[in-house]
Amino acid sequence: MTRTTPLTTDDLTAGPLVHTSAGSGEWWRDAVIYQVYPRSFADGNGDGIGDLPGVTSKLDHLKQLGVDAVWLSPFYRSPQKDAGYDVADYRDIDPLFGTLADFDEMLAGAHERGLKIIVDLVPNHSSDQHVWFQEALAAAPGSAARDRYMFRDGRGPEGDEPPNNWQSIFGGPAWTRLAPREDDTPLGPQWYLHLFDTSQPDLNWENREVHEEFEAVLRFWLDRGVDGFRVDVAHGMVKAAGLPDWEGQVSMVEGTVEEGHDQVSDPGAPEDGSTGAGHNGPMFDQDGVHEIYRAWHRVLEEYPGDRCLVAEAWVEPLSRLARYVRPDEMHQAFNFSFLTAPWDAARLRTVVDVSFNTMDAVGAPTTWVLSNHDVVRHVSRLGLATIGTGPLNGIAATDPQPDPVLGLRRARAATLLMLALPGSAYLYQGEELGLPDHTALPDEVRQDPSFFRTAGAEAGRDGCRVPLPWVGGAPGNGFGSTDATWLPQPDVYADLAADRQYGVEGSTYEMYRTALELRRAEKVGASGLSWVESLADSPDVVAFRVADVVVVGNLGTVPLALPAGAEVLVASGDLDSSADTVAVPTDTTVWLRA
Ligand code: NOJ
């Protein structure tokens, strides 16, 4: 069934601009940034774990794909209790991933190809193996060494109750008590705060030495030539004075508060582009964090080129997020509202409107993202038809399984909508291949601490972290030179391997490549945006004009016939063509010239 009257060119008339052109300024304003999760990207030494030489060997893939920059998740020296987000030495590479020389080679290779490199900075917590924490354990309560972390006496006459009632984001209490020692006070051993795993003690950002150390770490990597930093848990470093008790519940999606309902699917969630998660607790989004970013901004300004800071801050509403990217603070912040929005035309339009309103107000680019290493890949999320987005944290074999065909179809349509939005877009490795999560990983292979700390109640994030397939049917699908992969790949990865998609018309890889080429040629990222007026209230269609391109996403059930003569630039799926009409089927996005 096709919409009986095809659209005319007049129907595609643009309304007023909801976002004006940001112009082309610094590179990060409209960049497409590709996230490499090093342990799962490409394995250079055959041990089953990806590494920096692996990244270097695939730089041509990234160049060909057409991205502008690469963000690498942590590769620092680490016991890998949280896949490297537990850093033991901020100035060295973990032997699993290579050496500083390997890093320099990767950076030089990227720069030769015109690719920028952003590294991950993890300042909220260190590993318990960091020399500072080891010193703190060896030092007396009240010592300078202890003051670099969040040590407190316990409550109760014997100090055997935790200092407050906070829960860890990975499940269980956020406090761990030390073993007894002779110089303990009558309150006994102290406790230390860890918003994440016990192996990730929170640093004390009231301590000057902590500030100085991280500024020095920034300089270490800036001197090596990196183009920016993605700042982990950017909303968490400063805690409310007195660490007050709090009855809320933090969820796995950091900083997001569950208020007794499914924040993603709840139809009653606010229509303001937020996830509907509500307020933040005393461990997040405290005003004090902004002073830190102002100081870091000044450090970056001392360096040539447009170096940037990107906030990973799960705060709400978006107006709070905009505070992180005021002109003298960070440069970008991840905007997770597109990722958490249900597959619904009106909700997506709201997200876009609110995102532009709030970010334009502070002169920062809006960012867009659909997948990363902490959430179920959008192919799998959107394959859970009834919800539209599905759970964020992981799908277990015993959970309802996504429909792979529906998921890929919607994911491709969502991607073409996202890549047409002005601002900066983030891609997660493997999404250009249309990879789903591994949604049936056996418990024995899981490694995410959230799985263990919730006793399996949370499947955890391993499903989206499975090693990439480069050569379909080769050992490990070409992840490395052996068949070793630190997590098993699902069978479907063979057919989705990169080599099976290069040059193949209609493949997900070729769709991404074409869209990125057009995005660059048309300067979409730096363009203004207006809604197509006749469809601005449509319950089924998201349609907008950006640069010289009309973008039409059909989320409804009825195919939408395009104006005669419209030139299709790229489509997320096959179109319905009859003698005199071309129609956009359900769950399909097209970019047009009309
Ligand atoms: C956010 C990171 O993206 C996630 O992977 C990590 O577990 C937490 N922060 C803790 O560092």
Side-chain angles (χ1 to χ4, degrees), residues 14-22 348-349 352-353 356 360 368 417-423 523-532 542-547 549 551:
L17 282 171
V18 293
H19 163 72
T20 49
S21 162
L348 288 175
R349 277 194 302 268
V352 171
D353 276 335
F356 282 131
D360 286 354
W368 308 103
L417 284 175
M418 179 181 86
L419 289 178
L421 293 169
K523 300 193 169 45
V524 164
S527 165
L529 179 141
S530 20
W531 298 114
V532 165
V542 176
F544 55 92
R545 277 189 181 261
V546 61
V549 178
V551 178

Coordinates of all heavy atoms in Angstrom, one line a residue, residues 14-22 348-349 352-353 356 360 368 417-423 523-532 542-547 549 551:
A14 N 10.7 23.7 2.8 CA 11.3 23.8 4.1 C 10.6 24.9 4.9 O 10.2 25.9 4.4 CB 12.7 24.1 4.0
G15 N 10.4 24.6 6.2 CA 9.9 25.6 7.1 C 11.0 26.5 7.6 O 12.1 26.5 7.0
P16 N 10.8 27.2 8.7 CA 11.9 28.1 9.2 C 13.1 27.3 9.7 O 12.9 26.1 10.1 CB 11.2 28.8 10.4 CG 9.9 28.2 10.6 CD 9.6 27.3 9.4
L17 N 14.2 27.8 9.7 CA 15.4 27.1 10.2 C 15.2 26.9 11.7 O 14.9 27.8 12.5 CB 16.7 28.0 10.0 CG 17.3 28.0 8.6 CD1 18.4 29.1 8.6 CD2 17.8 26.6 8.2
V18 N 15.4 25.6 12.2 CA 15.5 25.4 13.6 C 16.9 25.4 14.1 O 17.1 25.3 15.3 CB 14.8 24.0 14.0 CG1 13.3 24.1 13.7 CG2 15.4 22.9 13.3
H19 N 17.8 25.4 13.2 CA 19.2 25.4 13.6 C 19.9 26.2 12.4 O 19.7 25.8 11.3 CB 19.8 24.0 13.7 CG 21.3 24.0 13.7 ND1 22.1 24.4 14.8 CD2 22.2 23.5 12.8 CE1 23.3 24.2 14.5 NE2 23.4 23.7 13.3
T20 N 20.7 27.2 12.8 CA 21.4 27.9 11.7 C 22.8 27.4 11.5 O 23.3 26.7 12.4 CB 21.5 29.4 12.0 OG1 22.0 29.5 13.3 CG2 20.1 30.1 11.9
S21 N 23.3 27.6 10.3 CA 24.6 27.0 10.0 C 25.6 27.4 11.0 O 25.7 28.6 11.4 CB 25.0 27.6 8.6 OG 26.4 27.4 8.5
A22 N 26.4 26.4 11.5 CA 27.5 26.7 12.4 C 28.7 27.2 11.7 O 29.7 27.6 12.3 CB 27.8 25.5 13.2
L348 N 11.6 11.6 17.9 CA 12.9 11.9 17.3 C 13.0 13.4 16.9 O 14.0 14.1 17.1 CB 13.2 11.1 16.1 CG 13.5 9.6 16.4 CD1 13.6 8.8 15.1 CD2 14.8 9.4 17.2
R349 N 11.9 14.0 16.4 CA 11.9 15.4 16.0 C 12.1 16.2 17.3 O 12.9 17.2 17.3 CB 10.6 15.8 15.4 CG 10.5 15.5 13.9 CD 9.4 16.2 13.2 NE 8.1 15.9 13.8 CZ 7.3 14.9 13.4 NH1 7.7 14.2 12.3 NH2 6.2 14.6 14.0
V352 N 15.7 16.3 18.3 CA 16.5 17.1 17.4 C 16.3 18.6 17.8 O 17.2 19.4 17.9 CB 16.2 16.8 15.9 CG1 16.8 17.8 15.0 CG2 16.6 15.4 15.6
D353 N 15.0 19.0 17.9 CA 14.7 20.4 18.3 C 15.4 20.8 19.6 O 16.0 21.8 19.7 CB 13.2 20.5 18.5 CG 12.5 20.8 17.1 OD1 13.1 21.3 16.2 OD2 11.3 20.5 17.1
F356 N 19.3 21.0 19.4 CA 19.8 22.2 18.8 C 19.5 23.5 19.6 O 20.4 24.3 19.8 CB 19.1 22.4 17.4 CG 19.7 21.6 16.3 CD1 19.0 20.8 15.5 CD2 21.1 21.5 16.2 CE1 19.5 20.0 14.5 CE2 21.7 20.7 15.2 CZ 20.9 19.9 14.4
D360 N 22.8 25.2 20.7 CA 23.0 26.5 20.0 C 23.1 27.6 21.0 O 23.8 28.6 20.8 CB 21.9 26.7 19.0 CG 21.9 25.9 17.7 OD1 23.0 25.1 17.6 OD2 21.0 25.9 16.9
W368 N 25.8 13.5 18.0 CA 24.8 12.5 17.8 C 25.5 11.1 18.0 O 26.6 11.0 17.5 CB 24.2 12.6 16.4 CG 23.7 14.0 16.2 CD1 24.3 15.0 15.4 CD2 22.5 14.6 16.7 NE1 23.5 16.1 15.4 CE2 22.4 15.9 16.2 CE3 21.4 14.1 17.5 CZ2 21.4 16.8 16.5 CZ3 20.4 15.0 17.8 CH2 20.4 16.3 17.3
L417 N 19.4 8.9 9.2 CA 18.8 10.1 9.8 C 19.9 10.8 10.6 O 20.1 12.0 10.5 CB 17.7 9.8 10.8 CG 16.3 9.4 10.2 CD1 15.3 9.0 11.3 CD2 15.7 10.6 9.4
M418 N 20.7 10.1 11.4 CA 21.7 10.7 12.3 C 22.8 11.3 11.4 O 23.2 12.5 11.7 CB 22.3 9.6 13.2 CG 23.4 10.2 14.0 SD 24.2 9.0 15.1 CE 25.5 8.3 14.0
L419 N 23.2 10.7 10.4 CA 24.4 11.2 9.6 C 23.9 12.5 8.8 O 24.8 13.2 8.3 CB 25.0 10.2 8.7 CG 25.8 9.1 9.4 CD1 26.3 8.1 8.5 CD2 26.9 9.7 10.3
A420 N 22.6 12.7 8.7 CA 22.2 13.9 8.0 C 22.0 15.1 9.0 O 21.7 16.2 8.5 CB 20.9 13.6 7.3
L421 N 22.3 14.9 10.2 CA 22.1 16.0 11.2 C 23.3 16.8 11.3 O 24.4 16.2 11.5 CB 21.7 15.4 12.6 CG 20.3 14.7 12.6 CD1 20.1 13.9 13.9 CD2 19.2 15.8 12.4
P422 N 23.2 18.1 11.3 CA 24.4 19.0 11.5 C 25.0 18.8 12.9 O 24.3 18.4 13.8 CB 23.8 20.4 11.4 CG 22.5 20.2 10.6 CD 22.0 18.9 11.0
G423 N 26.2 19.1 13.0 CA 27.0 18.9 14.2 C 28.0 17.8 14.0 O 28.4 17.5 12.9
K523 N 28.7 19.4 2.9 CA 28.9 20.2 4.1 C 27.7 20.1 5.1 O 27.3 21.1 5.7 CB 29.3 21.6 3.8 CG 30.5 21.8 3.0 CD 31.0 23.3 3.0 CE 32.3 23.5 2.4 NZ 32.6 22.8 1.2
V524 N 27.1 18.9 5.2 CA 26.0 18.7 6.0 C 26.2 19.1 7.5 O 25.4 19.7 8.1 CB 25.5 17.2 5.9 CG1 24.5 16.8 7.0 CG2 24.9 17.0 4.5
G525 N 27.4 18.7 7.9 CA 27.7 18.9 9.3 C 27.7 20.3 9.8 O 27.4 20.6 10.9
A526 N 28.0 21.2 8.9 CA 28.1 22.6 9.2 C 26.9 23.4 8.7 O 26.8 24.6 8.7 CB 29.4 23.2 8.6
S527 N 25.8 22.7 8.3 CA 24.7 23.3 7.7 C 23.6 23.7 8.7 O 23.7 23.3 9.9 CB 24.1 22.3 6.7 OG 22.8 22.7 6.3
G528 N 22.6 24.5 8.2 CA 21.4 24.7 9.0 C 20.5 23.6 8.8 O 20.7 22.7 7.9
L529 N 19.4 23.6 9.5 CA 18.4 22.5 9.3 C 17.0 23.1 9.5 O 16.7 24.0 10.4 CB 18.6 21.4 10.4 CG 17.6 20.3 10.3 CD1 18.3 18.9 10.6 CD2 16.4 20.4 11.3
S530 N 16.1 22.7 8.6 CA 14.6 23.1 8.8 C 13.8 21.9 8.5 O 14.1 21.0 7.7 CB 14.2 24.2 7.8 OG 15.1 24.3 6.7
W531 N 12.7 21.8 9.2 CA 11.7 20.7 9.0 C 11.0 20.9 7.7 O 10.7 22.0 7.3 CB 10.7 20.6 10.2 CG 11.4 20.3 11.5 CD1 11.4 21.1 12.6 CD2 12.1 19.1 11.8 NE1 12.1 20.5 13.6 CE2 12.5 19.3 13.2 CE3 12.4 17.9 11.2 CZ2 13.3 18.3 13.9 CZ3 13.1 16.9 11.9 CH2 13.6 17.1 13.2
V532 N 10.7 19.8 7.0 CA 9.8 19.9 5.9 C 8.4 20.2 6.4 O 7.8 19.4 7.2 CB 9.8 18.6 5.1 CG1 8.6 18.5 4.1 CG2 11.1 18.4 4.4
V542 N 9.8 11.5 9.5 CA 10.7 12.6 9.9 C 11.3 13.1 8.6 O 12.0 12.4 7.9 CB 11.9 12.0 10.8 CG1 12.9 13.1 11.1 CG2 11.3 11.4 12.1
A543 N 11.1 14.4 8.3 CA 11.6 14.9 7.1 C 12.2 16.3 7.3 O 11.5 17.1 7.9 CB 10.4 15.0 6.0
F544 N 13.4 16.5 6.8 CA 14.0 17.8 7.0 C 14.9 18.2 5.8 O 15.2 17.3 5.0 CB 14.7 17.9 8.3 CG 15.8 16.8 8.5 CD1 17.1 17.0 8.2 CD2 15.4 15.6 9.1 CE1 18.0 16.0 8.4 CE2 16.4 14.6 9.4 CZ 17.7 14.8 9.0
R545 N 15.2 19.4 5.7 CA 16.1 19.9 4.7 C 17.4 20.3 5.4 O 17.4 21.0 6.4 CB 15.6 21.1 3.9 CG 14.7 20.7 2.8 CD 14.3 21.9 1.9 NE 13.4 21.5 0.9 CZ 13.8 21.2 -0.4 NH1 15.1 21.3 -0.8 NH2 12.9 20.8 -1.3
V546 N 18.5 19.9 4.8 CA 19.8 20.2 5.4 C 20.8 20.4 4.2 O 20.7 19.6 3.3 CB 20.3 19.1 6.4 CG1 20.4 17.8 5.7 CG2 21.5 19.4 7.1
A547 N 21.5 21.5 4.2 CA 22.3 21.9 3.0 C 21.4 21.8 1.8 O 20.2 22.2 1.9 CB 23.5 21.0 2.9
V549 N 20.1 19.1 0.6 CA 19.6 17.7 0.7 C 18.2 17.7 1.4 O 18.1 18.3 2.4 CB 20.6 16.8 1.4 CG1 20.1 15.4 1.5 CG2 21.9 16.8 0.7
V551 N 15.9 15.1 3.5 CA 16.0 13.8 4.2 C 14.6 13.3 4.6 O 13.9 14.1 5.2 CB 16.9 13.9 5.4 CG1 17.0 12.6 6.1 CG2 18.3 14.4 5.0

